[in-house]
Amino acid sequence: SSSSSGQLNSAKDAQTFHKEVLPGYRPTRLIPIELETKSTSALPSSRFQGRCFIKAEDDRFGLPAFKVLGASWASFLALCDLLECQPERTSLEELRRLASGLELVAATDGNHGCAVAWFASLLGIRSQIFTPSSVSQNSIDQIRSMGEKVSVNRLATDYDRAVLHAASHARDSLCRVLVQDTAWEGYTLTPHRIVDGYSTIFSEVDEALGGKAPTHVIVPVGVGSLAQSVVRHYSTKRSTTEIISVEPETAACLYTSLLSGENIPIQTGETVMPGLNCGTVSSIAWPELLRGVLAAVKVRDCDVLETVNQLEAKDVRAGPCGAAPLAALSILLQNPNVAQNLGLLDDPDVTVVLLMTEG
């Protein structure tokens, strides 16, 4: 489809947008962390000789999650497309004036909806956010706190059906703009832009590591857009960074699909990781994840909650989704064959980055 945004939709342009257009940009922290190892040298955890860092996305433009990077960039471009203005020449002030009668629409299991509502409020326009029944009242209250023009509708359904409902709602009016972070046939441009928006995280990681890419990145997976951004970033850099995914055992859609070799929707259950409670991998993410993810890990709620407590004892306040990568690493380091095959053991040059996606 044609777009007035022209070529202005790359990851590099998204990074410029975050740094120079949005107010209040600053890189999030890359925190070195000591792993808790067992005393017996025969255990693989004691054979981890490398460095481990947490990329803490607990304060991104004042929001406690990374999602605003993708939502803001994709919303900006979608509004520019609709209003037929050139994004490279459009300020937030001008967009605020031009977009006054428009509404941003999204489905969410928490953080994405909060991010879309935040950007809509930044422009002074309405937002309509739909959530599945599994989203907590606390998360809904947080979305509503983004501004007086934010509406939240909790549906008696799961995440995948909430997405379909949001898409239908957006189609009902030319004044509504759907900003969804998962793709399907006929809806791919905005999800691609969201993936580009997330790339700011990995540019910050590389810069904080002195320009050297990590050897391993462990990334939580819901629909897979963040993991897609990781794969895309490091494949573009031609680095040898290995990508490992982590999902709840009750919502492991990527894990299941990788085992079968095809993108298979699954039924999900309850989990303390609502942001990862998704049953279908994004259609545009799947081909890149199939090629680019080295290993997939399922984690139990109890292991993640224990990890939340371990991190809090280290003065790192992670939400369950954000703690999942460390829980996954702990599992891997207790399995010598897997850890050895993944190149995690007996090598002081190993650098593992855990993506703490929410505070």
Side-chain angles (χ1 to χ4, degrees):
S1 61
S2 62
S3 167
S4 64
S5 299
Q7 298 302 309
L8 189 68
N9 59 7
S10 70
K12 184 177 179 181
D13 294 319
Q15 293 162 32
T16 300
F17 171 77
H18 296 141
K19 295 177 181 179
E20 300 180 6
V21 178
L22 288 186
Y25 169 80
R26 66 175 184 272
T28 53
R29 300 172 297 158
L30 189 67
I31 306 170
I33 186 169
E34 292 291 330
L35 298 181
E36 296 183 4
T37 60
K38 305 298 183 181
S39 58
T40 305
S41 60
L43 289 174
S45 59
S46 64
R47 293 169 54 196
F48 180 83
Q49 300 176 10
R51 301 182 299 166
C52 186
F53 297 89
I54 288 177
K55 179 60 170 170
E57 291 292 313
D58 56 347
D59 185 7
R60 184 64 82 172
F61 293 107
L63 298 180
F66 75 102
K67 290 281 191 177
V68 67
L69 292 171
S72 61
W73 176 235
S75 296
F76 177 75
L77 291 180
L79 290 170
C80 287
D81 286 347
L82 182 62
L83 297 167
E84 298 185 342
C85 53
Q86 296 181 347
E88 66 270 27
R89 299 179 181 176
T90 303
S91 66
L92 288 182
E93 291 72 19
E94 184 177 4
L95 192 60
R96 187 178 293 114
R97 177 178 59 83
L98 295 172
S100 60
L102 301 180
E103 176 184 272
L104 297 183
V105 179
T108 187
D109 43 24
N111 291 319
H112 175 69
C114 197
V116 171
W118 177 86
F119 188 72
S121 295
L122 186 65
L123 297 178
I125 64 175
R126 300 187 309 276
S127 59
Q128 176 68 63
I129 310 299
F130 297 93
T131 79
S133 58
S134 59
V135 171
S136 69
Q137 187 60 47
N138 182 62
S139 294
I140 290 175
D141 292 342
Q142 185 177 30
I143 297 170
R144 286 182 174 140
S145 74
M146 292 298 101
E148 60 182 17
K149 294 184 178 180
V150 179
S151 297
V152 184
N153 188 344
R154 179 157 55 182
L155 305 173
T157 188
D158 61 12
Y159 173 79
D160 288 355
R161 289 181 176 85
V163 170
L164 295 176
H165 190 93
S168 176
H169 178 79
R171 285 193 299 267
D172 286 344
S173 172
L174 295 176
C175 293
R176 296 170 182 163
V177 180
L178 181 67
V179 184
Q180 200 56 56
D181 56 349
T182 188
W184 56 88
E185 185 176 355
Y187 187 79
T188 59
L189 181 58
T190 289
H192 268 301
R193 289 166 166 174
I194 286 173
V195 171
D196 283 341
Y198 296 155
S199 68
T200 295
I201 298 170
F202 315 115
S203 293
E204 292 176 358
V205 167
D206 296 345
E207 183 175 351
L209 292 176
K212 187 176 181 180
T215 59
H216 300 76
V217 175
I218 304 184
V219 53
V221 168
V223 299
S225 295
L226 180 62
Q228 182 186 6
S229 187
V230 183
V231 170
R232 185 178 294 178
H233 176 81
Y234 288 109
S235 62
T236 300
K237 289 175 64 70
R238 300 180 184 274
S239 79
T240 57
T241 301
E242 303 289 10
I243 313 302
I244 300 169
S245 67
V246 57
E247 300 168 278
E249 64 176 3
T250 56
C253 57
L254 177 61
Y255 183 102
T256 302
S257 296
L258 289 173
L259 281 178
S260 68
E262 58 181 310
N263 193 0
I264 299 177
I266 64 168
Q267 281 292 120
T268 65
E270 294 185 3
T271 175
V272 297
M273 297 166 273
L276 307 182
N277 194 7
C278 305
T280 307
V281 178
S282 173
S283 64
I284 62 169
W286 167 244
E288 293 185 63
L289 300 184
L290 179 62
R291 293 190 301 268
V293 172
L294 177 66
V297 181
K298 293 189 293 185
V299 291
R300 301 178 300 173
D301 282 0
C302 59
D303 294 327
V304 167
L305 292 175
E306 181 180 349
T307 305
V308 168
N309 293 332
Q310 291 173 359
L311 286 171
E312 189 163 8
K314 300 177 186 290
D315 294 322
V316 179
R317 296 178 61 81
C321 298
L326 181 55
L329 180 59
S330 298
I331 291 171
L332 294 173
L333 292 181
Q334 296 307 311
N335 187 322
N337 292 330
V338 173
Q340 187 73 51
N341 289 338
L342 295 179
L344 289 168
L345 303 182
D346 307 319
D347 185 351
D349 292 329
V350 164
T351 301
V352 180
V353 171
L354 311 173
L355 297 181
M356 192 185 99
T357 50
E358 63 174 8

